[in-house]
Amino acid sequence: MAADDIGQLADALSRTHVGDGELSYQGRGLKLDNAESVAGLVTEIAQYQGLRALRLEGNTIGVEAAQAIAKALEDKDQLQKCHWSDMFTGRLRAEIPTALRSLGSAITSAGARLSELDLSDNAFGPDGVKGIEQLLMSPSCHSLKVLRLNNCGMGIGGGKILAEALTECHRRSSALGAPLSLRVFIAGRNRLENEGASALAKAFKLLGSLEELHVPQNGINHPGIRALASAMQHNPHLRVLNLNDNTFTKRGALAMAQALRHLKNIQVINFGDCLVRTEGAMALSAVLREGLPILKELNLSFGEITEPAALLLAQAVLNKPQMEKVDLNGNCLGEEGCEALREAMEVMDKADMLASLSDDEGEPDDEDDNEDDDDDNETDEDDHETFEDEEKENLDEEEEHSKENGVNCNGNSPSSKLQNPTKIASYLCSPSSEKELDLEDKTASLEHQVDADDPERAADVLLKISASYKEEAESGEALLEAVDAVLKTMLSASLLQSTCFLSTLLVHMGLLKGEGKVKRVPVVSAQLSCLTHAVQQPYFQQHHALLLHTVLCRNGKALKSCSSALEGLQDALKRRCSADH
């Protein structure tokens, strides 16, 4: 060993922190290649009685050096915390698994019970995960509470290996009567993508013990986000959820909103740079309004959110006494939108909690309305198939089925009061007052055509039937009853479901920017008149009116061809919004 290296190690050892069961060589910049280079360090470890934490981060350790350190750890049965981030700088990736296996084997041989393992910033890839696989499955990790693997380059393969190891650890520990109850999992910047995230989601669902989940910047799109959202519903003690810089889009955002309804202990939500977009933000505002009682921080920055959704979010945090920070920077509010948001927060005496809006992207251009990610467009073609297309395809099939079986789709005989589905389908394909009069029991029939879990279909149905409304016509009152039937079903659902329906309706009306290929319906005065009627009904609650009023105030100019009917609707909304004050 060179004299300079010996001097460097001696100086580092003289500055080693010893106390409270911790031995630290943190940030010394030591280049430890072989047994000779770690002789002094190994002696200190061997002589330290009651070692509970070992900090080796910020040095670079070769295979032989790791094996020597491992030898010193073989009798350290009280070791609980291994802070081993950034300790393989400049090493060949092939060396790292061997070094990790040596250290892991020593821990298991000692019979130690770890509570924290930090291997962040080691860039060891999938092979590095294999290097800790046996350790993670061993009794030494049955007690693990904190696992930090940030910036390790695990990739999809490493994510799957890690998920299997955690699952096996849970199985083995459960068999011994003390299931693994991991509380903190950190694995940002690992290129997990959808497959890796989905594999880990299965493990998280099984564990059910997470309190913090940090997986930012992993290239996860909506399939992986939805898998994680499903898993989070089974982790009721979750306090911190950080998915920054992944890609939600609408489907991922809606799934995560649904998951958040089950998380009463959440305090920090970081969905920044996740393309939550306007419909997703509206869904999150619904969850905020009805739950998340102890939320402290909400980050929805750089998500292509427009002004109406931002204002709804601001209104939703009003009843959050512990709220400290709302970050909506980098969205698409525009100068007027930013000012409106600031004013809204000031009126509620919450101005201090709003983060800077200095990086706002400005209002989206009209030509960008249909420019979404290619994968969104491709998949959404199926998701947004119109109700009319579905009915035209199935009309003959249903009629034949009815004739053969003597029953309709609801199990009733053709003579039942409830209408034959072929007649209803014909009406919805091409509504008219004549067909409306021909429906014997339109309310019951139309209630069976919509479902709170299918806002696309419900919006299509509502716009179709309301387009043929004429107040003076004989069918006017009957048609309003049909509108009431549809809206009562959709708005009597959960706040999240009713909000999703209203935002979908507004997208179809061209009042909100949607995602993917959305078929917009030319709005006519009749539809606005039906909504004016609906706003005055008991099922149309104040928060529904607030959402609609917020959007119309900002984007109502899109309905300038129906100015008279729009004015009537806005007046009705104002009255409904202030009715409970």
Side-chain angles (χ1 to χ4, degrees):
M1 185 176 184
D4 288 345
D5 291 336
I6 295 174
Q8 182 186 32
L9 179 57
D11 179 63
L13 292 175
S14 70
R15 293 183 282 116
T16 298
H17 168 70
V18 179
D20 300 325
E22 179 180 280
L23 194 56
S24 176
Y25 305 92
Q26 181 181 10
R28 304 304 187 202
L30 301 174
K31 190 173 186 298
L32 307 173
D33 296 322
N34 48 42
E36 183 182 5
S37 67
V38 293
L41 185 152
V42 165
T43 299
E44 281 206 345
I45 293 175
Q47 293 178 351
Y48 196 106
Q49 300 301 311
L51 180 64
R52 292 194 295 273
L54 179 61
R55 308 196 75 105
L56 296 175
E57 63 264 57
N59 301 290
T60 176
I61 300 175
V63 173
E64 290 184 24
Q67 291 170 340
I69 293 171
K71 187 68 175 176
L73 291 174
E74 287 180 349
D75 64 350
K76 301 303 176 184
D77 59 351
Q78 296 183 49
L79 184 63
Q80 298 174 10
K81 299 180 180 182
C82 297
H83 301 284
W84 296 348
S85 63
D86 188 22
M87 70 176 195
F88 295 113
T89 300
R91 301 293 171 181
L92 296 176
R93 180 171 287 190
E95 295 181 70
I96 300 174
T98 303
L100 289 173
R101 286 191 186 96
S102 298
L103 293 167
S105 178
I107 291 170
T108 57
S109 296
R113 294 292 183 266
L114 297 184
S115 62
E116 183 170 350
L117 177 61
D118 185 358
L119 289 167
S120 299
D121 301 316
N122 280 312
F124 47 50
D127 289 340
V129 184
K130 291 180 181 178
I132 59 171
E133 184 178 16
Q134 293 303 314
L135 171 62
L136 289 173
M137 294 189 294
S138 74
S140 290
C141 283
H142 289 183
S143 53
L144 196 63
K145 302 300 180 188
V146 179
L147 179 58
R148 303 176 190 272
L149 295 169
N150 202 58
N151 192 31
C152 289
M154 290 189 289
I156 293 172
K160 290 181 176 180
I161 296 168
L162 178 59
E164 291 174 1
L166 291 174
T167 300
E168 181 62 16
C169 181
H170 184 270
R171 186 191 70 79
R172 293 181 185 182
S173 58
S174 296
L176 296 174
L180 171 66
S181 56
L182 189 68
R183 294 176 184 168
V184 178
F185 180 86
I186 301 175
R189 299 183 66 188
N190 270 291
R191 304 194 307 276
L192 293 172
E193 301 182 17
N194 292 329
E195 290 185 57
S198 296
L200 285 166
K202 292 180 181 178
F204 298 153
K205 184 175 182 178
L206 181 66
L207 295 177
S209 58
L210 288 180
E211 295 180 9
E212 294 188 25
L213 175 64
H214 303 260
V215 284
Q217 202 173 342
N218 268 292
I220 307 171
N221 298 325
H222 69 85
I225 296 296
R226 288 190 291 182
L228 289 171
S230 177
M232 291 308 98
Q233 296 185 43
H234 297 270
N235 288 264
H237 302 295
L238 195 71
R239 294 182 294 104
V240 179
L241 182 56
N242 178 7
L243 296 171
N244 189 283
D245 199 9
N246 290 291
T247 306
F248 281 35
T249 60
K250 176 183 174 180
R251 283 162 290 178
L254 296 187
M256 199 56 69
Q258 177 63 33
L260 287 171
R261 296 181 68 205
H262 300 267
L263 302 176
K264 308 302 181 186
N265 296 303
I266 199 82
Q267 296 179 20
V268 178
I269 296 173
N270 187 344
F271 296 161
D273 204 11
C274 283
L275 281 186
V276 168
R277 292 179 172 155
T278 295
E279 288 181 270
M282 285 185 166
L284 292 170
S285 75
V287 177
L288 275 167
R289 184 177 289 275
E290 69 176 353
L292 312 185
I294 60 173
L295 187 66
K296 294 182 178 180
E297 294 184 21
L298 175 65
N299 184 349
L300 293 176
S301 59
F302 299 93
E304 295 189 2
I305 297 168
T306 55
E307 179 190 342
L311 292 174
L312 289 171
L313 287 165
Q315 294 156 3
V317 302
L318 179 61
N319 63 340
K320 299 290 176 285
Q322 298 186 40
M323 200 73 182
E324 298 174 358
K325 183 179 180 181
V326 177
D327 190 348
L328 292 169
N329 194 24
N331 283 297
C332 302
L333 310 185
E335 290 185 15
E336 293 182 5
C338 288
E339 186 58 32
L341 180 59
R342 292 189 189 98
E343 289 179 2
M345 298 296 283
E346 287 175 3
V347 168
M348 296 182 291
D349 197 25
K350 303 285 186 181
D352 290 345
M353 74 170 59
L354 182 64
S356 169
L357 299 174
S358 59
D359 295 318
D360 186 75
E361 297 286 341
E363 295 182 64
D365 296 330
D366 290 339
E367 64 261 24
D368 293 335
D369 280 359
N370 293 317
E371 292 181 7
D372 289 301
D373 298 333
D374 291 339
D375 62 327
D376 291 335
N377 286 336
E378 182 179 346
T379 310
D380 281 353
E381 277 193 32
D382 295 330
D383 290 352
H384 292 282
E385 182 179 7
T386 66
F387 183 49
E388 180 178 344
D389 292 338
E390 293 176 6
E391 292 303 332
K392 284 181 178 177
E393 290 174 6
N394 296 328
L395 191 57
D396 294 337
E397 184 179 325
E398 288 177 342
E399 185 174 9
E400 183 63 30
H401 177 77
S402 297
K403 288 178 180 178
E404 290 178 359
N405 296 284
V407 295
N408 64 22
C409 293
N410 295 298
N412 299 313
S413 68
S415 61
S416 168
K417 185 78 170 178
L418 186 61
Q419 283 296 304
N420 188 303
T422 59
K423 183 182 289 187
I424 301 166
S426 175
Y427 170 69
L428 292 174
C429 283
S430 181
S432 67
S433 57
E434 291 78 12
K435 291 179 181 179
E436 173 64 32
L437 284 171
D438 190 44
L439 288 175
E440 298 169 5
D441 189 353
K442 65 213 146 294
T443 301
S445 300
L446 289 168
E447 282 178 345
H448 284 77
Q449 294 298 319
V450 297
D451 185 275
D453 291 326
D454 193 351
E456 295 285 342
R457 171 173 292 211
D460 197 28
V461 168
L462 180 66
L463 290 172
K464 285 180 183 298
I465 62 178
S466 61
S468 60
Y469 170 70
K470 294 179 182 179
E471 184 177 2
E472 68 280 1
E474 185 179 353
S475 63
E477 184 177 344
L479 197 144
L480 288 178
E481 290 179 12
V483 168
D484 287 337
V486 173
L487 284 174
K488 186 175 181 180
T489 296
M490 300 306 294
L491 300 184
S492 297
S494 71
L495 182 55
L496 175 58
Q497 288 175 312
S498 61
T499 298
C500 289
F501 163 70
L502 287 174
S503 63
T504 300
L505 179 66
L506 291 165
V507 168
H508 281 262
M509 293 173 69
L511 294 170
L512 286 179
K513 180 181 177 181
E515 190 172 280
K517 295 181 179 179
V518 179
K519 182 179 179 181
R520 292 182 177 177
V521 177
V523 177
V524 296
S525 295
Q527 293 161 326
L528 301 184
S529 297
C530 287
L531 283 175
T532 301
H533 160 82
V535 168
Q536 301 170 67
Q537 306 311 307
Y539 60 75
F540 210 104
Q541 298 180 44
Q542 187 185 45
H543 50 259
H544 299 139
L546 184 62
L547 186 157
L548 199 54
H549 181 60
T550 301
V551 174
L552 284 177
C553 283
R554 184 64 186 89
N555 299 337
K557 58 182 180 292
L559 303 177
K560 59 184 178 181
S561 61
C562 310
S563 57
S564 179
L566 174 60
E567 185 177 344
L569 175 56
Q570 289 177 319
D571 287 343
L573 287 167
K574 288 178 184 177
R575 291 193 298 271
R576 187 68 186 88
C577 288
S578 60
D580 296 336
H581 291 303

